[in-house]
Amino acid sequence: MGLADCKPCQVLMEARLKLSKINNSPPIDATLYRSIIGSLRYLVNTRPDLAYSVGFVSNYMKAPITAHMAAVKQILRYVKDTINYGCYYTHKKDSGLKLIGYSDSDFACDINDRKSITGVSYFLRDNPITWVSQKQKVVALSSCEAEYMARTAGVCQGVWLARLLSEMQWKKQDSVVLKIDNKFAIAITNKPNSS
C-alpha cells in the first residue's frame, strides 16, 4: 500500500466524520481493507486513543469503498505521528487500588442506523486498565438516553472489575467511581423513580 513513508499527522479522525455504507464511490480491495483493520484492532490493545476510530471504520468491512479507505489512511498517518504512544503504568506504594471510570456517548452518530456509540474507560490508580468503544444495541431517542445507556455499560464494567479485584486481593473492593458528563443522565441516576 506504500504508507510506510506517508506524511504523519496529528489528527486521528476528521471531526464529525460521517461515512455511509451506500455510496457511489468505487469499491476497493476488501481483503486489504480487512487486513489493515485487523492490524489496527490489535494495536487498540495498547492504544485506547484509537478505539473509537478503529471501531468506526470497522463497520464498513463488508463492502469498503474509497471514502472508507481514506479514513483508514488518516488513522495510519496518525499512528505514524504517534508511534511512541501507549499505556504506561506507574505504581505508588502509598495509594490504594481505587477504580475510577468514565463513560460517554456520541448520540446518533451512525448515519446508517442512527445508533449511538458508547465509550467507557477505567483507571486503577492513574493507570488505564480497560476501555471499550462500541455501538449501542438500540436507537436512543435523546442524548440523555444515549448517555444513560453508556452509563449503564460503565456500571456493569465497574461492578465486574470491582469483583475481579476483590477476588485477586481477598478483600472487598472500595466503591467504584463512574464519572459522566450529562447533567440530565446524572439527575436520572440520582432520582430514578421520580416523575
Side-chain angles (χ1 to χ4, degrees):
M1 193 162 137
L3 286 173
D5 297 322
C6 69
K7 183 178 177 183
C9 72
Q10 296 180 350
V11 179
L12 176 58
M13 193 175 207
E14 181 185 316
R16 294 175 181 65
L17 177 66
K18 301 292 183 192
L19 295 175
S20 176
K21 293 180 180 179
I22 302 167
N23 197 316
N24 294 335
S25 296
I28 59 164
D29 180 8
T31 303
L32 174 64
Y33 187 85
R34 291 180 192 127
S35 174
I36 295 169
I37 296 297
S39 298
L40 287 171
R41 284 190 163 287
Y42 183 75
L43 189 58
V44 167
N45 290 321
T46 58
R47 295 283 304 269
D49 57 325
L50 302 175
Y52 174 79
S53 58
V54 171
F56 184 74
V57 295
S58 295
N59 289 320
Y60 307 102
M61 288 197 297
K62 184 176 180 183
I65 56 176
T66 53
H68 304 148
M69 184 57 93
V72 170
K73 286 180 181 179
Q74 178 77 14
I75 295 169
L76 293 172
R77 290 177 58 219
Y78 172 81
V79 168
K80 181 170 183 176
D81 189 57
T82 59
I83 198 74
N84 293 322
Y85 283 20
C87 294
Y88 298 96
Y89 296 94
T90 59
H91 176 66
K92 298 175 187 171
K93 288 187 178 183
D94 58 339
S95 64
L97 292 177
K98 183 135 180 91
L99 271 173
I100 299 178
Y102 300 88
S103 72
D104 201 1
S105 72
D106 187 356
F107 174 60
C109 63
D110 190 319
I111 62 173
N112 298 301
D113 59 13
R114 305 309 296 169
K115 290 183 180 175
S116 305
I117 301 290
T118 289
V120 177
S121 62
Y122 269 93
F123 290 75
L124 187 59
R125 294 187 179 107
D126 295 329
N127 304 304
I129 59 167
T130 183
W131 50 88
V132 65
S133 175
Q134 65 187 19
K135 191 184 289 191
Q136 294 178 353
K137 296 187 181 350
V138 297
V139 176
L141 301 177
S142 67
S143 60
C144 177
E145 188 177 1
E147 291 280 351
Y148 193 78
M149 285 190 267
R151 183 197 78 54
T152 302
V155 167
C156 292
Q157 183 96 11
V159 168
W160 178 79
L161 286 169
R163 288 180 180 167
L164 179 66
L165 282 172
S166 294
E167 288 180 22
M168 291 171 61
Q169 295 179 307
W170 296 93
K171 67 176 188 173
K172 190 174 184 320
Q173 176 65 30
D174 293 336
S175 63
V176 178
V177 175
L178 178 64
K179 298 187 178 192
I180 58 177
D181 65 352
N182 185 289
K183 64 182 178 180
F184 298 112
I186 293 169
I188 292 170
T189 302
N190 291 336
K191 297 186 184 214
N193 295 327
S194 64
S195 47

